[in-house]
């Protein structure tokens, strides 16, 4: 187990600050995910923790020991960290078994123990039958799993994973998600996991750190991030959302263009952005309060994925129970019930252009 303290860490390349000062503590055995769009600084943050980059300011402590600071800088090999990089590298001249065994060999572990540990790891990453193959005879996804096996075999206290599943097909990816989570629980290791896949982040993490353009937007459990996003960026990045400009006054938010009013007793007044998740909208002819028109509907097996016009071509997406599919015709008048919505300050950006 490893506890990590990050104190006011920032990173600039030249005069571009790619990570703004950031402070947080990761607990022993916690599964932390760095989530955000391409180029937001996820890999940079991981490389700072690993010791492949020196921070421009601030310090990093692992188990209360400064590993990066003004006067101290421990190289990666002294940090006892297991790692799988985004551009995972496996040694081309070694077969799968030897690749995974390598970290144990160089630390002088006995042959019999190496065999036992490597075989266990081979099973975990589903590569037992490939152990004699050269990396050139493996697919990208299989090579990625060799890299994961090699990081796991030394049983590190802290495991850093940079998009370790990006080359796997959907099914294997899902399977490996559970495997990694189980490994983390069984070995009680701290994991810092980088992904831009929100499903991966939601299913695996104890806490998610959502980053945009080098700035941490929110830190929280998957549920906190989904249910109480701090700003429209977070709401949109995790889950789907319809944004509608509105004005908040006298206990209501009034949706612009359509003039529809929703009861609201929160603290935001004046110009606001109302955000409604498609799954928080229901077609409900009995209890619905919002007049609308069905534009299109798609049968997805488990849900009915619709586009609905609130009036004046203000189109929102509605993800309803599949039973509503075909119950109404396109262009038919319907009523919508809003189960929940969020209200953000209007920061001047046009979120309504974001198509969910
Ligand atoms: N060595 C470097 N020199 C200059 N700029 C760099 C360097 N490494 C990263 N950057 C810049 O820092 C920013 C963050 O890069 P980083 O690799 O951390 O992004 P990321 O979130 O991992 O993206 P992706 O999801 O595409 O992997 C980018 O704008 C990138 O161009
Ligand atoms: Mg990256």
């Amino acid at each position: 187990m490893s506890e990590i303290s990050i104190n006011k860490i920032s990173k600039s390349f030249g005069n571009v600050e790619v990570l703004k000062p950031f402070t947080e503590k990761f607990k022993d055995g916690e599964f932390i995910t760095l989530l955000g769009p391409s180029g937001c600084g996820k890999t940079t943050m991981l490389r700072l923790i690993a010791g492949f980059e020196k921070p421009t300011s601030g310090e990093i402590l692992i188990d209360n020991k400064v590993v990066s600071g003004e006067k101290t800088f421990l190289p990666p090999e002294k940090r006892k960290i297991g790692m799988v990089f985004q551009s995972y590298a496996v040694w081309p001249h070694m077969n799968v078994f030897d690749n995974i065994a390598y970290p144990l060999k160089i630390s002088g572990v006995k042959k019999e123990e190496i065999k036992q540990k490597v075989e266990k790891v081979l099973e975990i990453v589903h590569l037992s039958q490939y152990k004699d193959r050269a990396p050139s005879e493996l697919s990208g996804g299989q090579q990625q799993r060799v890299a994961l096996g090699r990081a796991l075999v030394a049983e590190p206290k802290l495991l850093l994973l940079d998009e370790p599943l990006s080359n796997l097909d959907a099914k294997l990816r899902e399977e490996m998600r559970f495997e990694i989570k189980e490994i983390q629980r069984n070995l009680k290791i701290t994991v810092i996991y980088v992904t831009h896949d929100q499903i991966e982040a939601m299913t695996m993490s104890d806490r998610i750190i959502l980053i945009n353009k080098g700035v941490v937007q929110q830190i929280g459990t998957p549920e906190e991030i989904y249910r109480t996003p701090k700003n429209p960026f977070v709401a949109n990045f995790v889950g789907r959302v319809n944004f509608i400009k509105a004005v908040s006054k006298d206990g209501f938010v009034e949706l612009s263009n359509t003039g529809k009013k929703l009861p609201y007793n929160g603290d935001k007044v004046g110009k606001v952005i109302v955000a409604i998740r498609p799954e928080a909208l229901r077609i409900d002819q009995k209890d619905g309060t919002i007049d609308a028109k069905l534009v299109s509907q798609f049968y997805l097996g488990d849900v009915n994925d619709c586009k609905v016009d609130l009036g004046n071509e203000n189109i929102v997406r509605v993800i309803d129970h599949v039973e509503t599919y075909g119950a109404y015709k396109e262009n038919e008048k319907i009523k919508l019930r809003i189960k929940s919505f969020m209200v953000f300050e209007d920061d001047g950006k046009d979120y309504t252009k974001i198509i969910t």
Side-chain angles (χ1 to χ4, degrees), residues 118-285:
V118 173
E119 298 211 319
K120 194 174 122 202
V121 167
L122 281 167
E123 246 171 65
I124 290 172
V125 296
H126 300 283
L127 285 175
S128 299
Q129 80 241 49
Y130 298 99
K131 66 178 178 184
D132 299 319
R133 290 240 190 134
S136 61
E137 299 164 332
L138 298 176
S139 72
Q142 288 162 341
Q143 291 185 36
Q144 206 161 24
R145 282 180 284 150
V146 174
L148 182 60
R150 198 175 49 194
L152 285 174
V153 81
E155 295 170 14
K157 292 176 182 167
L158 172 60
L159 187 59
L160 307 182
L161 301 172
D162 195 350
E163 312 235 10
L165 309 181
S166 58
N167 282 349
L168 307 187
D169 63 50
K171 195 161 176 296
L172 194 54
R173 203 171 164 143
E174 202 168 307
E175 220 172 279
M176 289 300 294
R177 254 179 6 220
F178 290 112
E179 299 281 8
I180 291 177
K181 189 73 198 157
E182 204 165 302
I183 293 163
Q184 181 250 346
R185 281 206 192 110
N186 290 343
L187 303 177
K188 296 191 174 63
I189 48 181
T190 309
V191 173
I192 306 180
Y193 191 95
V194 166
T195 184
H196 55 250
D197 181 326
Q198 54 142 320
I199 304 282
E200 238 169 73
M202 295 293 277
T203 51
M204 299 174 89
S205 323
D206 293 316
R207 283 191 300 159
I208 295 170
I209 300 182
L210 188 49
I211 311 169
N212 188 30
K213 295 180 182 158
V215 181
V216 171
Q217 305 288 312
Q218 190 166 352
I219 304 176
T221 63
E223 196 181 345
E224 280 163 357
I225 298 257
Y226 185 81
R227 292 176 70 107
T228 50
K230 282 201 174 143
N231 58 41
F233 174 83
V234 177
N236 184 54
F237 200 84
V238 176
R240 289 165 291 225
V241 73
N242 297 295
F243 289 113
I244 303 166
K245 281 182 191 259
V247 174
S248 167
K249 63 171 185 203
D250 307 332
F252 288 94
V253 283
E254 186 175 326
L255 307 183
S256 67
N257 296 335
T258 62
K260 293 186 165 76
K261 281 182 172 181
L262 310 175
Y264 171 69
N265 52 17
D267 55 359
K268 310 237 172 8
V269 285
K271 280 186 170 181
V272 292
I273 303 282
V274 167
I276 313 174
R277 300 234 183 253
E279 57 273 23
L281 288 167
R282 288 276 178 271
I283 301 172
D284 188 336
Q285 300 301 71

Side-chain angles (χ1 to χ4, degrees), residues 259-323:
K260 293 186 165 76
K261 281 182 172 181
L262 310 175
Y264 171 69
N265 52 17
D267 55 359
K268 310 237 172 8
V269 285
K271 280 186 170 181
V272 292
I273 303 282
V274 167
I276 313 174
R277 300 234 183 253
E279 57 273 23
L281 288 167
R282 288 276 178 271
I283 301 172
D284 188 336
Q285 300 301 71
K286 193 164 142 268
D287 295 323
T289 54
I290 306 281
D291 291 316
K293 188 177 76 177
L294 184 64
V295 176
S296 62
Q297 53 188 336
F298 294 95
Y299 177 82
L300 296 188
D302 52 346
V303 292
N304 179 19
D305 193 343
C306 318
K307 291 247 160 55
V308 169
D309 187 352
L310 296 184
N312 302 325
E313 299 198 348
N314 281 276
I315 309 288
V316 291
R317 187 166 170 193
V318 175
I319 300 182
D320 209 336
H321 299 300
V322 74
E323 288 75 27

